[in-house]
Amino acid sequence: MKTLKMMAMAIAFMGLTAQAATNKEIINHISYKVILATYNDLATEAANLSTAVSALAANPTTETLTAAQNQWRVTRIPWESSEAFLFGPVDSLGIDPMLDTWPLNKLDLDAVLSGNRAISTDFVRNLPVTLQGFHTIEYLLFGEGKTSNNKPVSSLTAKQLEYAKATAALLAEYTANLANAWSKNHDPEDPTTPGYVKIISQPGVNNQIYSSERAVMEEFIQGMIGIADEVANGKMSDPMGGDIASANMALVESPFAWNSLNDFSFNVRSIYSIYTGNYRDAKGPGVKALVEKVDAELASRVEADILNCIQLIQAIRPAKGGDFGQAIFTHDGRARTQKAIDALNALRETLESEVLPTLDM
């Protein structure tokens, strides 16, 4: 009896694996279980960050500062994990620059902090985006980041605490709006419009943005290509420069918290989520299921290449402490950085020249 039961289970498993996911199933899974889930997580963690910074402002101690710093890092994860799908409301509502513009304009920020204007959420809202978002909060919580990211709580002024509290509240508001745009109403000027998740998951001739399943799948693949290119040739190559003498710390993303390598890793993790359909507890299908129908070897190779890029990025971390901003000023750190850049560019090339064409096969 036990043998028959095992045979039945094996046959059932074979039937399951032989039945490839349809494009509709892939699109539906990625739209709801990867993208919408990521933006919901971002809104939740940004609200937690606002709460943590408010607690710090009300009672500035080493413990409340550490809690706010830790929550800043946690909130970065879903944001950086979304960068393979920076289309839809995050673009049309202009939310990306309000959350994540860098480099920070420290000169103007210091001028605002030395002024007499009362700090409020609306006051920060009306300032340039270079004085808002993640990196403003990061600078206030972690300090200058060049030689240390361990800011003593005693160095936080009352004005800095007010500014951090207002900016964190604004960030929570923006991310809540983004989650709402994906889940309920993608155009705030027209309350009859549905959430963007419905737009992208139901392509067709009556859909003004996505006329076909192919258009959605191409959006997914182009998103992966775009962030692979940005991490390799923007986020990493620009601050590294041509040699140590031209390396530029001011161009490093998340330099104050020494979080750059985690940012880059989660950027590539966003590629992995779209490709495999895996995000948190959710498991596929993703774009890989499309590629498998055409070339199983290619499908597995791309997944391995994505994971290899993440490993190479993490390997840049200096053994004696620091992060990407410190590594690019050493010869061995630069060599490790170049290896990661080369792997990312190879991945981008594979996505462009081998994965994208599978849409037409």
Side-chain angles (χ1 to χ4, degrees):
M1 181 64 74
K2 184 176 180 181
T3 301
L4 289 174
K5 187 176 181 180
M6 292 179 66
M7 288 176 63
M9 291 174 63
I11 292 170
F13 177 74
M14 290 170 64
L16 184 64
T17 54
Q19 185 177 4
T22 65
N23 286 356
K24 181 177 178 59
E25 289 169 334
I26 295 169
I27 290 168
N28 199 63
H29 180 84
I30 291 176
S31 299
Y32 282 90
K33 299 299 184 180
V34 176
I35 300 178
L36 181 60
T38 301
Y39 284 132
N40 284 337
D41 284 348
L42 175 62
T44 298
E45 296 304 343
N48 291 339
L49 176 60
S50 179
T51 299
V53 175
S54 292
L56 168 65
N59 181 30
T61 66
T62 299
E63 289 74 21
T64 55
L65 175 58
T66 300
Q69 290 172 331
N70 289 341
Q71 185 56 44
W72 183 91
R73 294 181 187 279
V74 169
T75 309
R76 286 296 282 178
I77 293 174
W79 170 248
E80 295 301 314
S81 299
S82 75
E83 294 212 15
F85 39 91
L86 290 182
F87 45 75
V90 71
D91 180 43
S92 63
L93 301 181
I95 290 177
D96 182 2
M98 293 190 288
L99 296 182
D100 201 31
T101 290
W102 53 278
L104 169 69
N105 187 339
K106 288 192 288 185
L107 188 64
D108 284 357
L109 178 60
D110 289 340
V112 171
L113 292 172
S114 65
N116 296 321
R117 295 286 301 274
I119 305 298
S120 67
T121 302
D122 284 337
F123 173 74
V124 176
R125 188 196 312 277
N126 291 316
L127 294 175
V129 292
T130 53
L131 301 178
Q132 301 183 27
F134 272 111
H135 299 300
T136 299
I137 302 168
E138 179 196 4
Y139 175 62
L140 295 171
L141 295 181
F142 291 91
E144 52 83 24
K146 289 183 179 177
T147 58
S148 170
N149 64 343
N150 187 21
K151 184 175 184 175
V153 70
S154 58
S155 67
L156 277 162
T157 67
K159 208 63 173 288
Q160 288 176 336
L161 289 167
E162 289 176 18
Y163 200 99
K165 178 182 173 181
T167 310
L170 194 57
L171 188 117
E173 178 186 316
Y174 290 150
T175 56
N177 291 344
L178 179 57
N180 184 71
W182 269 87
S183 61
K184 297 177 181 175
N185 170 219
H186 79 272
D187 181 358
E189 295 185 357
D190 182 359
T192 66
T193 59
Y196 202 80
V197 70
K198 189 172 182 180
I199 299 290
I200 200 168
S201 63
Q202 296 181 9
V205 292
N206 295 322
N207 188 318
Q208 296 183 347
I209 302 176
Y210 301 103
S211 61
S212 65
E213 291 177 348
R214 187 196 184 286
V216 178
M217 296 295 279
E218 181 170 358
E219 181 92 285
F220 291 156
I221 297 172
Q222 292 289 2
M224 293 191 290
I225 292 170
I227 191 59
D229 178 63
E230 182 179 344
V231 175
N233 303 311
K235 295 186 177 191
M236 298 174 77
S237 292
D238 286 350
M240 190 167 83
D243 51 35
I244 287 181
S246 60
N248 188 348
M249 185 73 169
L251 298 180
V252 174
E253 186 180 26
S254 298
F256 314 119
W258 292 4
N259 205 59
S260 311
L261 294 175
N262 283 341
D263 280 4
F264 305 159
S265 296
F266 281 108
N267 288 161
V268 181
R269 178 63 63 174
S270 71
I271 298 174
Y272 186 79
S273 292
I274 295 293
Y275 187 70
T276 62
N278 297 347
Y279 177 72
R280 295 170 67 91
D281 296 334
K283 306 296 181 187
V287 170
K288 180 182 177 183
L290 165 75
V291 181
E292 279 176 333
K293 297 174 189 174
V294 177
D295 187 337
E297 185 278 329
L298 171 64
S300 297
R301 173 159 50 89
V302 171
E303 182 174 359
D305 288 348
I306 296 169
L307 294 174
N308 182 52
C309 286
I310 295 173
Q311 290 182 342
L312 291 174
I313 289 170
Q314 285 296 322
I316 296 170
R317 194 177 305 282
K320 295 182 179 179
D323 197 67
F324 177 71
Q326 288 69 43
I328 59 175
F329 289 93
T330 66
H331 290 289
D332 58 338
R334 294 177 64 83
R336 295 193 299 275
T337 300
Q338 189 59 55
K339 192 172 181 180
I341 290 172
D342 292 343
L344 281 162
N345 277 325
L347 172 63
R348 174 184 53 78
E349 172 64 24
T350 301
L351 292 170
E352 284 178 338
S353 64
E354 298 184 65
V355 172
L356 191 57
T358 61
L359 287 173
D360 298 318
M361 294 179 185

